[in-house]
Amino acid sequence: MKVIELNNVFVRYIEPYRLALREVTLEIEEGEFVLLVGRTGSGKSTLINAINGVIPNIIKADVRGRISVFGKDPRTAPVYKTAVDVGTVYQVPESQIFALVVEDDVAFGLENRAVPPEEMRARVQESLELVGLWHKRGHPTFLLSGGEKQRLAIAAMLALRPRVLILDEPTSMLDAVGTKEVFELLGELNERGMTVIVAEHKVEKVLPMADRVIALDNGTVALDEEPHRAVAKGLQKFGVEEPQVAQLHRLVRPEDPAPPITVEEFLRANRGLTLEVEEAEPPAGEGSVKALGVVFRYPGNEEPTLKGVDMEIPRGSVVSVVGPNGSGKSTLMYLLAGINRPTSGVVEIEGKNPFELSGPERVRLVGYAFQDPDQMLMNTTVEAEIAMTLRLAGVRGRALRSLARQTARDLGIEGLLGRSPHRLSVGQRRLVSLAAVLAASPRVLILDEPTRGLDRETAEATMKYVIEMHREREMTVVLVSHDMRQVGDYSQLVYVMYDGRVAFRGTPEQAFAEAEKHVEWGVDPPQVYYVSRHYGRPAATLKRLRISPAVQADERA
């Protein structure tokens, strides 16, 4: 049974005037698991909102062509009626949280549908248990971590039991364990007959579960294939990361029409490889960022969030801080950036207490791009956003305008300078927040989930720019990330936080090896680590891995 049908659909936004979808024709069968991919701005969110009726009922746009969802046109039905069958979890969880307490938020939609109290209580518990938040049912929603808010948004939608579940970047703020749990949950729901549509940039975990991969490019359906064939045709053309095992396999069998997408498939297809790993020396030298015995308790909380953090980051290094949602990573970054003062203990940036610095001193010493860019965007244009940082750093006149434009050009957002940052996509807002921080050339740069919401192509270009700035300006870079591919590719050292403390410090390879003993750390090593470890030469990144020319590849078992 076809549950969703689109035939020759065009969507044109009115403000700003822009054609977002063109000639889109596709059908989705009941019970299918569809992975939707494409660059930032390719039309994924527009397609989702056309299916659930948000376009044109809430977001005004000119929509032409035929759209049918369970035999009804979502353009002519109220959104709340379409939502009975089609549930949507958006990229920014805060936009779907309405209550002050966790269990009340899950009950909100059920109350609006007049679900009987006993059934409501059962659904609330079931949904919160599925996403691992039942123990926080009485917790204030505004004190949840970003990842916990994402889980809450998913729980609230699951409680409504829609027939089609659409998720837009559902794991962008989740740790590795949470990501795995969410995708396993989606797989279980799909096996029970629910139709699942996931728009995602991090595709390694989703590909094995998907029946189809649909790629959008400039508003059109450019690819609609089974996952292996989709990877063979090249997902990177659409700004999407491809599985690391597929990249490795291509070095061995470049013409394979169905490359592996999981570690197990790769190992079956390629036996007896000889791998060479280029060793990397961990950074040494004086600490430019220090946290000594740091304790921090939020007002009104009995338990401290940070429980004695000791951390010293070498000057001029690139390090990652990883760990599960709620472990205190972002809280520690607030202290390092001088936003909050520790309850006890010492925080120093280049020997200075960041909390006691003036605005101009702080912006030149430490730059911090928040996990949620909306928390730091406050101007009417992108150019004004970047200029505000420069003005605070003491830059004036022509130099200010020139630096603002150059920073925007370097990050690929020069065309957005006259636009309001509040009307941009999540990925574009992320780039604006990075530009505002980088413009002042701080000596220490803190990036909390720096590539969240960005397609792989844009993410790699952004990180390349950050690393160039790090080398040119001898900048110390601190990344907070759940993306273990990113951690392996760019980090010299990794600090694992767990339960408000630093649980481990070491190279990426050492951290991944230790994480295998500690599932609770929320660290799931990338595919390249598992493959290289199998051959006795653990590597955290493809960049330092070489396959011997004398490779013999066996047929798949």
Side-chain angles (χ1 to χ4, degrees):
M1 172 185 170
K2 297 180 178 64
V3 295
I4 297 171
E5 298 176 79
L6 289 86
N7 185 23
N8 201 32
V9 171
F10 289 75
V11 176
R12 191 187 302 273
Y13 289 111
I14 299 170
E15 286 188 31
Y17 191 74
R18 179 171 63 89
L19 187 62
L21 291 181
R22 62 191 80 202
E23 298 182 87
V24 171
T25 297
L26 61 88
E27 297 175 346
I28 296 175
E29 297 281 344
E30 187 170 24
E32 273 196 304
F33 194 122
V34 177
L35 173 60
L36 186 62
V37 301
R39 291 182 178 83
T40 301
S42 62
K44 300 187 301 296
S45 295
T46 300
L47 178 59
I48 288 169
N49 285 327
I51 290 171
N52 64 22
V54 168
I55 292 176
N57 291 298
I58 296 175
I59 299 175
K60 299 305 177 186
D62 178 23
V63 183
R64 300 185 182 184
R66 178 175 176 267
I67 305 176
S68 174
V69 178
F70 291 101
K72 301 174 184 176
D73 189 335
R75 291 171 290 187
T76 59
V79 172
Y80 71 87
K81 287 191 174 180
T82 303
V84 172
D85 293 318
V86 181
T88 308
V89 178
Y90 286 100
Q91 193 173 2
V92 181
E94 288 85 354
S95 66
Q96 289 182 272
I97 294 176
F98 301 98
L100 296 177
V101 178
V102 167
E103 62 182 351
D104 291 346
D105 193 70
V106 179
F108 180 79
L110 300 172
E111 290 173 331
N112 278 275
R113 294 190 183 176
V115 173
E118 286 301 318
E119 182 183 351
M120 187 186 305
R121 280 190 283 270
R123 287 203 204 180
V124 168
Q125 181 171 348
E126 178 187 40
S127 300
L128 287 174
E129 285 178 344
L130 282 171
V131 300
L133 280 181
W134 177 242
H135 68 292
K136 289 200 170 184
R137 58 189 177 277
H139 203 72
T141 55
F142 55 86
L143 291 181
L144 295 175
S145 70
E148 288 168 335
K149 288 178 182 177
Q150 206 154 25
R151 294 181 192 220
L152 177 57
I154 293 171
M157 199 53 60
L158 291 177
L160 299 173
R161 297 178 180 172
R163 297 165 67 185
V164 175
L165 183 61
I166 303 177
L167 304 101
D168 192 356
E169 298 278 350
T171 65
S172 61
M173 295 170 67
L174 293 183
D175 58 55
V177 171
T179 296
K180 182 180 178 182
E181 289 174 349
V182 166
F183 286 144
E184 285 178 351
L185 172 61
L186 294 179
E188 291 172 10
L189 294 170
N190 182 240
E191 287 177 3
R192 295 179 195 173
M194 181 180 286
T195 305
V196 178
I197 303 171
V198 178
E200 183 63 83
H201 291 307
K202 298 183 293 183
V203 302
E204 279 185 352
K205 302 293 184 186
V206 198
L207 278 171
M209 297 187 297
D211 299 306
R212 294 161 62 190
V213 178
I214 296 175
L216 293 182
D217 187 26
N218 197 28
T220 64
V221 175
L223 179 144
D224 186 351
E225 286 284 4
E226 181 273 336
H228 292 87
R229 289 195 293 271
V231 171
K233 289 187 176 182
L235 291 179
Q236 68 272 20
K237 293 185 296 189
F238 308 108
V240 181
E241 68 175 16
E242 61 179 3
Q244 288 180 322
V245 291
Q247 295 179 49
L248 275 173
H249 187 75
R250 194 168 285 120
L251 298 175
V252 182
R253 294 182 179 183
E255 303 302 323
D256 193 339
I261 58 177
T262 68
V263 171
E264 293 75 18
E265 289 180 357
F266 179 88
L267 295 178
R268 285 198 302 268
N270 301 281
R271 297 188 176 94
L273 297 185
T274 301
L275 303 183
E276 298 176 6
V277 179
E278 178 187 330
E279 299 297 331
E281 290 294 323
E286 295 182 8
S288 65
V289 178
K290 295 180 181 179
L292 307 173
V294 171
V295 174
F296 182 79
R297 180 185 291 105
Y298 283 102
N301 282 12
E302 293 183 6
E303 282 288 314
T305 302
L306 301 180
K307 304 173 182 178
V309 172
D310 290 300
M311 175 184 288
E312 185 168 333
I313 298 174
R315 181 176 290 110
S317 61
V318 179
V319 307
S320 284
V321 179
V322 304
N325 296 125
S327 60
K329 301 184 299 297
S330 294
T331 298
L332 177 60
M333 297 307 114
Y334 292 154
L335 302 185
L336 297 182
I339 296 169
N340 289 330
R341 185 199 298 269
T343 305
S344 63
V346 176
V347 172
E348 290 184 353
I349 304 290
E350 298 290 353
K352 299 177 181 178
N353 182 342
F355 189 80
E356 295 177 351
L357 297 177
S358 67
E361 289 175 320
R362 188 184 302 160
V363 79
R364 288 191 293 267
L365 182 66
V366 56
Y368 179 29
F370 288 22
Q371 185 182 70
D372 180 0
D374 292 338
Q375 292 181 350
M376 56 185 292
L377 300 178
M378 56 191 76
N379 287 279
T380 55
T381 67
V382 169
E383 185 169 13
E385 202 67 59
I386 302 171
M388 185 178 74
T389 304
L390 291 168
R391 196 172 289 110
L392 188 59
V395 181
R396 297 289 186 274
R398 292 181 180 177
L400 184 149
R401 185 177 178 84
S402 175
L403 270 174
R405 290 186 171 274
Q406 183 59 52
T407 304
R409 190 178 303 117
D410 290 340
L411 284 169
I413 56 171
E414 188 178 21
L416 304 177
L417 284 171
R419 298 268 302 275
S420 166
H422 310 288
R423 303 192 69 175
L424 301 177
S425 71
V426 172
Q428 289 169 330
R429 296 201 299 275
R430 163 58 69 201
L431 292 174
V432 173
S433 70
L434 287 173
V437 169
L438 285 165
S441 299
R443 294 173 68 182
V444 175
L445 179 64
I446 301 172
L447 303 176
D448 199 341
E449 298 292 350
T451 56
R452 174 192 166 213
L454 301 181
D455 58 63
R456 178 56 55 175
E457 195 174 73
T458 307
E460 288 180 351
T462 300
M463 288 306 302
K464 181 181 178 183
Y465 176 67
V466 169
I467 297 303
E468 285 175 357
M469 294 299 100
H470 149 73
R471 289 171 179 157
E472 288 177 10
R473 305 172 188 180
E474 298 183 347
M475 188 184 287
T476 302
V477 179
V478 182
L479 306 172
V480 179
S481 182
H482 292 307
D483 184 344
M484 293 305 130
R485 284 181 63 156
Q486 186 179 87
V487 170
D489 283 346
Y490 299 103
S491 308
Q492 296 168 292
L493 284 175
V494 176
Y495 297 80
V496 181
M497 288 196 67
Y498 180 71
D499 193 28
R501 297 180 177 89
V502 175
F504 185 84
R505 174 191 186 274
T507 65
E509 286 82 4
Q510 291 169 340
F512 292 158
E514 191 66 20
E516 292 189 83
K517 309 171 190 174
H518 298 277
V519 177
E520 70 275 10
W521 285 0
V523 174
D524 186 13
Q527 287 183 335
V528 65
Y529 170 79
Y530 288 113
V531 169
S532 58
R533 185 199 61 182
H534 177 82
Y535 294 109
R537 299 298 306 277
T541 174
L542 285 172
K543 296 179 180 180
R544 292 191 286 107
L545 192 65
R546 301 289 181 269
I547 296 181
S548 170
V551 165
Q552 295 297 321
D554 296 338
E555 292 301 319
R556 283 192 179 86

